[in-house]
Amino acid sequence: MSDLNDATDPSKPDVPGPVLHGAYEISADPARIDAARVHHWISGDSYWALGRTRETQDRAIAGSLNFGAYATGGGEMAAYARVVTDYATFAWLCDVYVDPAARGTGLGTALVTAVRDHLAPYGLRRIMLATADAHGVYSKVGFEPLEYPDKWMTLGLQ
């Protein structure tokens, strides 16, 4: 996976580098992702992917644009978000998770803001997500409920 912050790749526009939020640095550098920690969080503590295998999580990470938030002191990962995108028209924001110790600090909102800002240069027509409990976080960043949910369909488990 190439570094998405590499301005030498002519197929990708310049995108913002790491973003600071309080005691955390938010980055899309794939080399910094702690895959074991992400798997622990997502498979053990999320409502949407309990029991997800490590193999499945690793494949998801490998095929996605990944964001991490890291403590500026020691570099320990404190939050994660994953984007599935074609870099031209569409993106799906998913697997957003903030470590319980970092919740309540605004890190979730900062992470989603960094994702939004990172994707802005691509001129995507739509960025979507699904949430059962974080509507307030996403609405602060500009997300809204679907205007016409009856136009949307899904295939697979819900």
Side-chain angles (χ1 to χ4, degrees):
M1 185 182 281
S2 66
D3 180 358
L4 293 168
N5 289 319
D6 183 358
T8 63
D9 184 345
S11 69
K12 296 184 175 59
D14 292 337
V15 293
V19 174
L20 292 176
H21 173 76
Y24 301 99
E25 179 183 66
I26 300 168
S27 172
D29 181 352
R32 296 184 70 182
I33 297 297
D34 182 343
R37 180 171 287 223
V38 170
H39 176 254
H40 174 77
W41 285 337
I42 302 299
S43 71
D45 192 39
S46 73
Y47 65 82
W48 64 89
L50 287 175
R52 181 182 287 172
T53 67
R54 175 66 191 267
E55 177 189 2
T56 298
Q57 186 63 53
D58 287 349
R59 283 185 310 161
I61 290 170
S64 301
L65 170 59
N66 300 278
F67 293 81
Y70 307 90
T72 53
E76 183 175 318
M77 194 172 192
Y80 175 75
R82 183 168 73 85
V83 178
V84 181
T85 185
D86 60 11
Y87 296 100
T89 63
F90 182 80
W92 177 261
L93 174 60
C94 54
D95 288 349
V96 178
Y97 186 92
V98 178
D99 187 271
R103 292 179 188 165
T105 65
L107 184 56
T109 301
L111 177 61
V112 176
T113 300
V115 169
R116 180 201 63 200
D117 294 350
H118 189 105
L119 293 172
Y122 297 107
L124 304 175
R125 181 174 179 197
R126 182 173 289 118
I127 302 171
M128 295 192 67
L129 62 85
T131 185
D133 61 356
H135 296 80
V137 170
Y138 298 111
S139 66
K140 289 178 193 174
V141 181
F143 285 89
E144 300 174 345
L146 290 172
E147 186 173 356
Y148 302 105
D150 55 321
K151 289 184 175 184
W152 295 87
M153 298 180 75
T154 185
L155 174 66
L157 298 176
Q158 293 189 37

